[in-house]
Amino acid sequence: MPRRASGTLVLELKLRTARQKRCEDKVGVNRGVLGRIDWSVVGAIVALAAFSYAVTVLYKNLENISWDQVRQTIVTFPASRLALAGLATAISYLALVGYDVIALRLVGADRVPLRTTAITSFISHAVTFTLGFGVLTGGAVRMRLYRPWRVSTDQVLAVVLLCALSFWAGLAAIAGICLTLNPELVAALVGLDAVTCRILGLVILAALALWLVIAARKRTAIAIRDWQLPLPGAGTSLAAILVGMADVAAAAAALWVLLPNDLAVTLPGFLVVFSLATVVGVISHVPGGFGVFDAIVLLGTAKGAPSPELVSSLLLFRLVYYFVPVSIAAMMLVVYEVRARSRVAHEDSNPTAALFDPIIPPLAAIATFFGGLVLLISGTLPAERMSVVRNFIPLPFVEASHFIASLVGTILLVVANGLAHRLRSAWQLALLLLGGGVVFSVTKGLDFGEALICLAAAGLLFVGRKEFYRQGGVFSGRPSASALLAVAVAVGASAFIGLAIYRGVPYDNSLWWEFAYHQDASRFLRATLGAATIAIVIAAYQLMHRVTPKRHSISPSQVLEVEAIVRASKQITSELALIGDKQFLFSQSGDGFVMYGVRGSTWVAMGDPIAVRSADLIDLVWRFKENADEHRGVPVFYQVAADHLPVYLDAGFSLIKLGEDAWVDLEAFTLDGKVGRRLRQTKSRVERSGVSFEVIKAADVSNFFWALKRVSDAWLAVHGRREKGFSLGFWNEDYLRRHDIAVVRHEGRIVAFANILRKPAAATASLDLMRHVPDAPESVMDYLVVMLLEQAKTEGYKWFNLGMAPLSGLPEHRLASRWARFAGLFFRYGDRLYNFEGVRIFKSKFKPEWRPKYLAYEQSLRLPQTLLDIAGLISSSPQRVMAGRQQHEA
């Protein structure tokens, strides 16, 4: 709708709330067909269709109106009526403060001073009314300005939802009353009889009355997991309805006083039209309700063909109710940010002076988008100062400036999305384009107002330059449906305005090639074609271009540094750093690192950071998160141990259990007595078949690669297995020659092997790559593990890690999370994909101690994609290593 996208806001807040909770139940939920639909795309399609239809209606109804008539009406419009519209606008925004006051009291945040509440309400509503992106704009403003008063994120979300609820209640009350008292106007507009409209109004009022009765009898709340939205009681509900009615009535009055006198529309009758236009604007999902709201008002108030005065009234209403408040709000927000930064610079010792969630990136995105929109629309309007321009600017410069300014405006619409994502490249390009916009606005027609707008946007970007730190191309990545919609609506609105203005100019092919100071229609055609072409090209590139994450090569000195850290580490998983399939992020001290891989936009750290000191581990968790954020990536830590879970929780990660590691206590391990009888029998039986156990030293491993490769290839050939990596080793000669290899021979032939990982400082040993030929004696792998355990115990090791059993050890209680229940079913019945239960049974033979392993992740709604990216990284790791080796050799 034109005033606020409340329907979109509620949906966005629900999604936001779902993202915030740390849950384990998003994977495996059977969402059905509806759950698999991308509703943001559906919403964008609906919005585009509604906008297109509204533009068609407006174009047909405005065929007899020229731009000169509209401009003349605006210039001669009575200042007294503009003042009345401004007063009604002020009353509306004053009523909006009541939304926040009521909501803050309901969520228990009434400690916020009234002055702060009023300022925050004005800024957040002004921004939201204009753009409609509730959480990104209005919600972000509230989070920024309410945070110093210790209003939590959950409370802010509840406040935004309650404000939307108050607005809808007031709108419903206004519509119900007006439909009951004056149904004839709506009846003529929607094609229903007056009796039906009056009955509809009575039903609306009855529903509101029922709500008040229920609220009086029992206070209720909407609960979503651990988040609650408290619903108001009867008294508070009635106050919210009255505030909403005052807001809607004042907003409608701001437009009503601007309407032409000859329409003779009463305020109660116009309230019905205004309410209907608002509701249709919400349903359309068009940002700001542009076109849709205007079409409903024109059809509902005009008797016959709309007049130039009525069109002028709508344009002036948007100026008074939208542009002026949002401009004031933007200036207030900039002043607030500048003061906050100054306060932080002088009060570093005050912990409450820290900045929270800077609002500059979304504000800069809004300002840049608006600057681009102004340049684009200006390219469609007739030049006002061309008689002056022709005296000192040559025609080629004027024509080129006009065309380039429209192209610059179109690119700024796209670049704004990159600014919202804090891309450094978007910041640099936006500054360059805004500077060009300033120059071309002057040279194409002395449009100093446009130049000032571009200059103000550039100034905001410069002030907030430190907030744009993320790497990546400005046109990389697929744009969201809302971003595409915003660009499409902006370009479409510009084209519509131009077509409406130059309707009376007969089209001829020669128009494209006519160059003259007063050939505004020709300049409009060329600029529109250029803008549409560049918008389509950029959108097509973004939709079809898949960004391949850069894999940074490791220098020889870094390889030596990694090897030194691995040798000094007590973590057995540090050996996985030597496989050759990972990238590294080193700690500031240089004594630790995070080993990671990138798949799509998912940055996967393998295990806990490798660090000796806890300070380095904490530092690496945060630095990895920051590094991923700089590249627009989503950080996750795969297979982290339980020892450091508080570190991940403090860093904002959520956790799900992936399975359990099998750790054999070598001091308790024995083949003697009743406890070791089964393993003792297995060992004796296998040895009677003529096998022997041997350990090949790392220095001699290269001499046996031909035999070991034969075993590995035979093992892979069974059931069409493929090499996997990242979280486990694979056939890589550089990796294998670093470790001793335990082999089992049968009749002199190697039939099974495993590499041995040792950490003497931690008295821990493990194995990684385990393979055998299909025709090896039965239970040969049991025998291999038994022999390794015995040897490690003899060498003085205390623990032996047999690796993780995926999806094992998850709770089976009926009240367990959906993730745990789904993973448990997969563990029991997913043998066709992976022998989960068989792995657990095999390792259980050695009486291990089971230690849990977790996945630390941030975005719960993205968890399925995260798990798919991890699986893809594990399966593609060997191929990437081989490709890198071949490229290096070439």
Side-chain angles (χ1 to χ4, degrees), residues 608-627:
D608 296 297
I610 307 302
V612 177
R613 296 176 298 181
S614 59
D616 281 343
L617 186 142
I618 296 172
D619 169 63
L620 283 168
V621 169
W622 282 105
R623 292 192 65 207
F624 180 71
K625 186 175 181 179
E626 291 170 354
N627 198 35

Side-chain angles (χ1 to χ4, degrees), residues 98-99 102 162 165-167 169-170 211 232 235-245:
Y99 290 164
I102 294 173
L162 289 168
L165 182 63
S166 299
F167 161 73
W211 176 25
T236 306
S237 296
L238 182 59
I241 291 174
L242 293 176
V243 169
M245 291 176 64

Side-chain angles (χ1 to χ4, degrees), residues 736-754:
L736 290 176
R737 63 167 51 99
R738 295 176 180 273
H739 309 108
D740 293 350
I741 304 291
V743 300
V744 175
R745 295 180 182 271
H746 181 244
E747 299 177 351
R749 178 174 62 104
I750 296 178
V751 295
F753 74 88

Side-chain angles (χ1 to χ4, degrees), residues 847-883:
K847 304 296 188 293
E849 175 184 305
W850 294 101
R851 301 179 186 177
K853 282 293 187 74
Y854 297 89
L855 175 73
Y857 67 99
E858 278 193 310
Q859 300 179 14
S860 47
L861 288 180
R862 197 183 179 276
L863 183 55
Q865 182 62 49
T866 297
L867 295 175
L868 288 174
D869 286 340
I870 293 173
L873 189 63
I874 291 172
S875 63
S876 65
S877 178
Q879 289 78 14
R880 288 187 290 108
V881 172
M882 295 304 297

